[in-house]
Amino acid sequence: MPRRKRNAGSSSDGTEDSDFSADHEHTDRIETYGRTRRNTRLTRASLRLSQSSQDSSPAQISPAEVVTFSARRVTRSRSVQQGPPVTPKKYPLRQSRSSGSDTEQHVEDLKRAADQDESPPRTPTGNALSSESDIDVSSPNASHDESLAKELSLKDSGSDLSHRPKRRRFHESYNFNMKCPTPGCNSLGHLTGKHERHFSISGCPLFHNLSVDECKTRASSRDKQVEERTLSHRQDENRHATRHQDHRQSHGNNREPLLENITSDYDLELFRKAQARASEDLEKLQGQVAEGSNMIKTIVFGRYELDTWYHSPYPEEYARLGRLYMCEFCLKYMKSLTILRRHMAKCVWKHPPGDEIYRKGNISVFEVDGKKNKIYCQNLCLLAKLFLDHKTLYYDVEPFLFYVMTEADNTGCHLVGYFSKEKNSFLNYNVSCILTMPQYMRQGYGKMLIDFSYLLSKVEEKVGSPERPLSDLGLISYRSYWKEVLLRYLNQFQGKEISIKEISQETAVNPVDIVSTLQSLQMLKYWKGKHLVLKRQDLIDDWKAKETKRGSSKTIEPTALKWTPPKGT
């Protein structure tokens, strides 16, 4: 009897159907299969019982009366497996106690049942239906042998499970009609070699010009390579860890650490090339120093010994020495420590020359005229060139004013930093050169110098800006200062409309610098033909927290300034 086709509305994604009618129809179809095939199954059980009861009988059925039952099971799960073909099983029948006519009639019934359907009804998984739903023991036509076969089948199945509800499984709603879209493909195998079937082109071996066996072979080889690579990597890590530890214990910091297996070979090769290039440049630089170039490596400045960063045009007889000794008050440079001690014994300077125009605590600022104190200003410019790359002013100091910041103690006023500005600047530059000494860097003195320069611009009622180009450290300091000024202004601003010109007049910062800072902070937007300034509260809150933590010790107090703008010449 041909098997019914699956309902077209069944789900193919593995989820249970929520429609109760579909579930009820599926259950009725299984029960119908059971009623149709119960006679065949009961007859087969009767044959087995007859064989066990007639083992002692010498009578045998002729070979022509042997009935063959095919073990073929048309299921999707069994069709996936690849193996040798299943041979049909033969069940020899022995003569029972009944008469010969009954036996012949019995064999003919078996043949007719086998012709109708050689295999018992199966579920989509290939398993036989449960005995509870297959055999109707209340049938009035069942014989004694049939009831005995029913009892045996119940014992084989373990126990009566008829009281348990039937549950739909994944395979009952799975769409078994899915096939690979590749022409000529039977949907067997998978490109990864780890699955038995595929339903898409991405996993089709035939589409990728491969066979199922080749995919499985490649998958096994890949797994082996991964295992070998992992094992080798672990062994290398253990070996190199031991090697690094031995190298560190043997040489300490006297040699470069081992760099193998820290990064890729390509990156390590680039690093080696950069090392070689830097070494070559250093050799050239040392050769220039040996030939008489003005390169000073270190300076002794007060109680500090500072390493220089750049070349400064000191006289050749001093540059050859490699180390220079300076007086921290008058900035005179000397060749040896003995000369410095003699100089310090008779030097009467304890602060920079010029007028002290600002004092708050131990911080003071002196205004030094380059025309009146030419030697001091020239020495200051030579000292600044050791730490500045873009500075070109050395000896022509007469058109400039120098504002020197010092920190006072019981021995005198020690140089912290300075900035210079032109006496008459056509572009309103308020700073030409600015420097914080290395021993005072990252302590807030740089912002104090910048803030002091803008304070002078406010007193002059001008808008100032530093002269370009700025050094790397100078650009960082100015960007930080402009950000702080804008956030302070926006925090105090209460109106709804704001103007760049008003901010510039209030803070004495150039409008170009204000716009560039707003853009870097992502606070300037263009919307519907207008430029809008966004008040970002998160940035303002961060600035408030930093201000509270920093305190007010490193700030400029405008009331402490005693200064009148100089008249132009």
Side-chain angles (χ1 to χ4, degrees):
M1 181 177 183
R3 186 173 298 181
R4 295 183 182 178
K5 293 185 179 180
R6 175 173 295 277
N7 188 8
S10 61
S11 174
S12 61
D13 56 354
T15 58
E16 293 187 1
D17 194 356
S18 60
D19 191 1
F20 175 76
S21 61
D23 192 9
H24 183 67
E25 180 183 354
H26 182 72
T27 306
D28 292 342
R29 184 167 61 251
I30 294 178
E31 292 178 356
T32 303
Y33 278 128
R35 295 191 190 97
T36 307
R37 299 294 186 266
R38 69 174 181 269
N39 293 329
T40 303
R41 296 175 59 83
L42 290 175
T43 306
R44 191 175 299 167
S46 300
L47 290 176
R48 296 193 187 99
L49 185 60
S50 299
Q51 291 176 3
S52 61
S53 62
Q54 293 294 332
D55 285 340
S56 59
S57 176
Q60 299 291 336
I61 303 298
S62 61
E65 297 178 353
V66 176
V67 181
T68 61
F69 295 91
S70 174
R72 174 174 57 88
R73 297 182 180 181
V74 186
T75 60
R76 192 171 187 84
S77 60
R78 289 292 300 272
S79 62
V80 176
Q81 299 178 359
Q82 297 180 358
V86 180
T87 59
K89 297 181 180 180
K90 297 182 180 181
Y91 300 91
L93 303 180
R94 295 185 181 181
Q95 189 175 5
S96 61
R97 296 179 182 180
S98 61
S99 62
S101 59
D102 294 338
T103 305
E104 293 176 358
Q105 182 66 26
H106 190 66
V107 172
E108 290 177 0
D109 294 338
L110 288 176
K111 288 182 179 180
R112 284 195 300 270
D115 293 337
Q116 291 178 2
D117 192 355
E118 295 179 354
S119 60
R122 304 288 175 178
T123 61
T125 58
N127 298 326
L129 294 174
S130 60
S131 58
E132 297 87 321
S133 61
D134 291 343
I135 302 174
D136 186 6
V137 296
S138 62
S139 176
N141 298 326
S143 62
H144 175 72
D145 293 340
E146 293 174 352
S147 61
L148 184 58
K150 171 61 179 176
E151 293 178 0
L152 292 175
S153 62
L154 289 176
K155 290 181 180 180
D156 293 339
S157 62
S159 62
D160 188 6
L161 303 178
S162 59
H163 64 282
R164 300 180 63 177
K166 294 181 179 296
R167 293 183 300 177
R168 297 189 64 184
R169 302 181 183 273
F170 169 78
H171 58 74
E172 296 180 10
S173 59
Y174 190 80
N175 188 4
F176 288 98
N177 296 325
M178 293 178 61
K179 292 183 180 180
C180 178
T182 305
C185 181
N186 56 359
S187 299
L188 297 180
H190 200 276
L191 182 64
T192 61
K194 298 181 180 181
H195 305 285
E196 295 295 335
R197 299 188 65 82
H198 67 276
F199 304 103
S200 61
I201 293 178
S202 61
C204 180
L206 183 61
F207 179 80
H208 295 89
N209 302 319
L210 297 172
S211 64
V212 178
D213 296 336
E214 290 177 347
C215 292
K216 292 182 178 180
T217 304
R218 293 190 176 189
S220 60
S221 63
R222 286 196 300 267
D223 294 341
K224 290 181 180 179
Q225 290 178 359
V226 171
E227 292 178 0
E228 293 176 357
R229 192 181 302 114
T230 304
L231 181 60
S232 176
H233 184 66
R234 291 178 181 175
Q235 293 176 354
D236 292 342
E237 284 184 349
N238 296 334
R239 182 172 63 256
H240 289 292
T242 305
R243 184 182 175 189
H244 282 281
Q245 185 176 2
D246 295 341
H247 182 272
R248 194 182 301 109
Q249 293 177 355
S250 301
H251 304 287
N253 297 328
N254 297 327
R255 292 191 183 182
E256 180 186 69
L258 298 178
L259 303 178
E260 288 77 7
N261 294 311
I262 295 179
T263 183
S264 62
D265 296 339
Y266 178 76
D267 293 338
L268 183 60
E269 183 65 23
L270 288 180
F271 178 71
R272 294 299 186 191
K273 290 181 180 179
Q275 273 187 327
R277 185 173 179 180
S279 178
E280 183 179 358
D281 294 342
L282 185 60
E283 290 294 335
K284 291 180 180 179
L285 188 60
Q286 291 178 353
Q288 293 176 359
V289 173
E291 292 174 0
S293 177
N294 296 333
M295 183 63 188
I296 300 173
K297 296 181 180 180
T298 59
I299 60 172
V300 176
F301 191 81
R303 61 179 183 271
Y304 300 99
E305 183 175 347
L306 309 176
D307 294 331
T308 61
W309 298 351
Y310 303 102
H311 161 74
S312 183
Y314 280 94
E316 184 176 352
E317 57 180 310
Y318 292 92
R320 291 177 181 175
L321 303 175
R323 173 176 292 187
L324 212 57
Y325 299 87
M326 292 185 183
C327 175
E328 61 178 335
F329 299 114
C330 66
L331 303 183
K332 183 179 179 180
Y333 47 90
M334 289 149 277
K335 294 182 179 180
S336 63
L337 183 59
T338 303
I339 300 177
L340 177 62
R341 289 174 179 174
R342 291 178 180 176
H343 171 81
M344 294 298 294
K346 56 186 178 182
C347 182
V348 296
W349 288 26
K350 298 299 178 182
H351 59 80
D355 301 326
E356 184 180 9
I357 61 176
Y358 177 87
R359 178 186 292 180
K360 180 185 176 182
N362 60 345
I363 301 298
S364 300
V365 178
F366 294 83
E367 184 185 52
V368 183
D369 191 347
K371 186 176 181 180
K372 297 179 180 179
N373 302 277
K374 187 174 182 179
I375 301 299
Y376 179 86
C377 294
Q378 288 180 351
N379 292 337
L380 183 59
C381 290
L382 290 175
L383 174 63
K385 185 60 182 72
L386 293 173
F387 307 100
L388 296 176
D389 188 22
H390 300 285
K391 183 175 178 57
T392 56
L393 174 65
Y394 308 119
Y395 298 102
D396 187 15
V397 295
E398 294 181 2
F400 294 87
L401 293 172
F402 294 82
Y403 297 89
V404 183
M405 180 176 289
T406 61
E407 186 179 44
D409 59 9
N410 54 0
T411 60
C413 297
H414 305 280
L415 177 65
V416 173
Y418 86 102
F419 71 91
S420 62
K421 61 182 294 187
E422 294 180 85
K423 296 178 181 178
N424 297 311
S425 177
F426 296 100
L427 298 177
N428 290 331
Y429 288 139
N430 60 358
V431 169
S432 295
C433 180
I434 186 170
L435 169 72
T436 303
M437 294 298 291
Q439 66 269 27
Y440 293 101
M441 286 183 177
R442 302 185 64 84
Q443 299 181 26
Y445 292 105
K447 287 186 179 181
M448 291 181 66
L449 288 171
I450 297 174
D451 195 14
F452 190 83
S453 67
Y454 280 103
L455 177 61
L456 298 182
S457 298
K458 291 178 182 179
V459 175
E460 292 176 318
E461 298 181 355
K462 295 181 180 179
V463 175
S465 178
E467 185 177 348
R468 268 67 171 184
L470 290 170
S471 63
D472 297 335
L473 295 177
L475 181 60
I476 294 174
S477 300
Y478 266 96
R479 282 283 175 87
S480 178
Y481 174 78
W482 292 332
K483 173 184 175 181
E484 183 178 337
V485 168
L486 290 178
L487 292 178
R488 183 186 295 109
Y489 181 85
L490 293 176
N491 182 43
Q492 299 174 356
F493 184 77
Q494 301 296 332
K496 294 183 179 180
E497 294 183 359
I498 194 171
S499 172
I500 301 296
K501 185 177 181 180
E502 293 177 359
I503 299 176
S504 177
Q505 293 176 354
E506 184 75 17
T507 61
V509 179
N510 192 287
V512 177
D513 299 331
I514 294 175
V515 172
S516 64
T517 305
L518 290 175
Q519 289 177 345
S520 64
L521 296 176
Q522 298 181 356
M523 298 176 65
L524 188 64
K525 300 293 182 181
Y526 184 80
W527 186 67
K528 291 186 178 181
K530 295 181 179 179
H531 290 279
L532 302 179
V533 177
L534 304 180
K535 186 177 181 180
R536 295 183 57 181
Q537 193 63 33
D538 55 342
L539 296 178
I540 296 176
D541 294 338
D542 294 340
W543 167 77
K544 287 182 179 179
K546 291 182 180 179
E547 283 290 315
T548 304
K549 184 178 180 180
R550 184 187 307 167
S552 59
S553 59
K554 298 293 178 61
T555 57
I556 295 296
E557 184 63 37
T559 58
L561 176 66
K562 307 298 180 183
W563 178 75
T564 302
K567 297 180 180 181
T569 58

